[in-house]
Amino acid sequence: MKILVTGGAGYIGSHTCLALLNEGYEVVIVDNLCNSSIESIKRIEILANQSVIFYNADVRDMVSLENVFHENSIEAVIHFAGLKSVNESINIPINYYENNVGSSIALFNIMSKFNCKILVFSSSATVYGDTAMSPIKEGSQLSANNPYGRSKLMIEEILQDLYVSDDTWHIGRLRYFNPVGAHKSGMIGEDPNGIPNNLFPYISQVAVGRRKKVNIFGGDYDTHDGTGVRDYIHVMDIADGHIKALEALNIKSQLLTINLGTGNGYSVLDVIKAFESASGLKIPYKIVGRREGDIASCYADTALASSSINWNASYNLESMCKDAWKWQTLNPNGYQKIG
Ligand code: NAD
Ligand code: UD1
């Protein structure tokens, strides 16, 4: 089965492409490399000992996208391409709507034209806003607090309208909690530009000596140790979730909306401790003020993913830290330098 993976050079996309190749799928990647490197694709090919077809193109470019569908018999699409920084989305909202919503509309149009109706879309737990009670079920009320979140919510709604208009579509909306870690080889991983916003890459960069200390955003939350609690999930579990979703969608047309999380909540201090034991290093930290827009606690109810696609997360926090650390130590400057 030939799968088009938009954003396949990125963090989650590259791990999912590797998992797809290992499961015997053929992979076509469309990525404009605006937040990734061609090196990730080279490494996927080495790890899988297979090649992928790569188009350096923008998903919004309908001429290029149509060409991809003409040149390949695409049977299903996994749509990762998009911009993902909450802060950036507040400063340049139009870019976020244009890129995230614009690329999705272009893609769904071309898919319709080529009668390709199997789609998995990267949504986010951010669509639950700041009111849902953890463990969060898929039926919880949705809201968004920033342009990034609103762009995800809009695309989810577009997909719902699409399915209502034509129920021969097979659509998966996967709401990821906090993807972290890396492939166990340490050859592919997360390579953020500039100062990382997210906790895991920030801790990794402190551990490797690129930054002095972790600033913990808030020590007075109503959690077991006062620091924010999240549902961290290994990126290879996320990759596997896509494969399970594809398998379920392939069997029957449906609109499948599921959480991808472990169901466990860990605090910032829990993560720092786990990272210290994985790396054997002391991680300096300081508790500072809360970050605007953060909530105390957020973790998934995973029952629906388990019952609907037979998927359960399998990696624990220790593996997430170990694999993130291996990637960081083998690639202290990300994809810029090999080894
Ligand atoms: P990423 O930035 O590493 O990957 C996204 C990829 O899409 C990049 O390779 C980028 O170059 C590409 N891209 C962006 N806009 C494009 C366009 N218009 N045309 C072609 N390529 C384009 O991000 P990621 O962490 O791998 O996230 C993948 C998806 O999952 C995103 O849609 C993101 O919003 C969503 N998501 C991520 C997280 C997370 O914590 N990483 C959480 C929830 C949801
Ligand atoms: C953030 C985004 C969310 C997005 C997700 C994945 C915000 C408000 N939310 O989620 O929309 O889907 O990333 O990209 O930006 N922390 C620190 N110090 C740091 C970094 C983080 O203490 O340097 C804390 C945070 O306060 C939080 C936890 O670590 O309690 C996790 O933060 P992060 O990795 O940024 O993820 P989220 O905030 O859950």
Side-chain angles (χ1 to χ4, degrees):
M1 192 174 183
K2 203 175 235 185
I3 316 289
L4 168 62
V5 183
T6 74
Y11 172 45
I12 305 173
S14 56
H15 289 79
T16 305
C17 286
L18 178 57
L20 286 166
L21 291 168
N22 287 338
E23 286 293 319
Y25 291 92
E26 289 176 80
V27 171
V28 177
I29 294 176
V30 172
D31 199 305
N32 63 4
L33 304 179
C34 69
N35 196 36
S36 52
S37 156
I38 185 100
E39 183 62 26
S40 69
I41 298 178
K42 292 184 186 155
R43 296 193 189 183
I44 298 166
E45 294 184 320
I46 294 168
L47 286 167
N49 195 23
Q50 287 173 66
S51 53
V52 302
I53 300 168
F54 171 56
Y55 293 85
N56 184 342
D58 195 303
V59 180
R60 290 168 292 176
D61 173 358
M62 289 181 78
V63 175
S64 298
L65 204 54
E66 191 159 346
N67 179 46
V68 172
F69 276 80
H70 267 303
E71 290 182 355
N72 302 277
S73 335
I74 304 290
E75 289 166 82
V77 178
I78 305 182
H79 181 35
F80 291 109
L83 303 177
K84 64 165 182 178
S85 158
V86 171
N87 273 346
E88 197 179 57
S89 81
I90 293 166
N91 295 325
I92 46 169
I94 303 304
N95 292 27
Y96 269 67
Y97 292 120
E98 192 180 43
N99 200 340
N100 294 0
V101 182
S103 67
S104 299
I105 291 175
L107 175 67
F108 307 157
N109 261 319
I110 299 285
M111 287 179 73
S112 297
K113 191 166 172 182
F114 284 81
N115 201 30
C116 171
K117 292 187 173 176
I118 306 181
L119 169 74
V120 179
F121 169 63
S122 295
S123 189
S124 166
T126 195
V127 299
Y128 295 117
D130 54 11
T131 51
M133 283 296 290
S134 292
I136 303 177
K137 285 188 194 302
E138 288 80 352
S140 305
Q141 205 183 337
L142 305 180
S143 70
N145 306 325
N146 52 67
Y148 166 69
R150 259 186 290 283
S151 76
K152 290 289 174 192
L153 208 44
M154 282 177 191
I155 302 162
E156 281 211 4
E157 286 171 348
I158 290 168
L159 288 172
Q160 167 127 8
D161 290 341
L162 181 59
Y163 185 74
V164 168
S165 75
D166 174 0
D167 65 7
T168 64
W169 276 80
H170 310 228
I171 298 172
R173 302 184 297 185
L174 307 189
R175 295 176 180 157
Y176 318 151
F177 278 67
N178 291 60
V180 298
H183 184 256
K184 63 177 179 337
S185 63
M187 279 180 68
I188 55 173
E190 186 172 14
D191 185 16
N193 283 328
I195 302 172
N197 291 314
N198 296 123
L199 183 65
F200 254 74
Y202 203 101
I203 292 179
S204 301
Q205 292 192 6
V206 170
V208 86
R210 275 173 71 179
R211 311 201 179 273
K212 282 203 174 82
K213 61 174 186 313
V214 180
N215 289 311
I216 299 183
F217 300 142
D220 56 354
Y221 283 110
D222 184 15
T223 60
H224 63 273
D225 60 18
T227 66
V229 165
R230 295 292 183 276
D231 187 339
Y232 298 97
I233 171 159
H234 198 292
V235 66
M236 291 311 296
D237 272 333
I238 294 269
D240 182 46
H242 287 76
I243 289 175
K244 292 273 166 50
L246 262 187
E247 286 167 357
L249 291 171
N250 207 10
I251 293 169
K252 68 170 182 18
S253 62
Q254 57 184 306
L255 178 64
L256 175 75
T257 307
I258 48 172
N259 290 337
L260 293 186
T262 64
N264 301 314
Y266 289 103
S267 73
V268 179
L269 283 170
D270 292 334
V271 174
I272 291 178
K273 262 184 236 145
F275 212 96
E276 286 183 335
S277 102
S279 63
L281 295 167
K282 193 95 202 109
I283 313 280
Y285 67 83
K286 183 177 174 204
I287 295 184
V288 299
R290 293 182 178 190
R291 179 173 68 179
E292 208 186 317
D294 273 355
I295 52 175
S297 187
C298 170
Y299 52 94
D301 184 310
T302 60
L304 188 59
S306 182
S307 63
S308 60
I309 62 167
N310 191 27
W311 173 88
N312 293 289
S314 59
Y315 294 86
N316 59 20
L317 185 62
E318 190 189 345
S319 319
M320 299 179 212
C321 294
K322 211 173 90 228
D323 294 338
W325 180 234
K326 183 163 184 189
W327 154 253
Q328 184 67 63
T329 45
L330 290 178
N331 307 270
N333 296 309
Y335 284 113
Q336 275 172 29
K337 290 202 184 86
I338 300 179

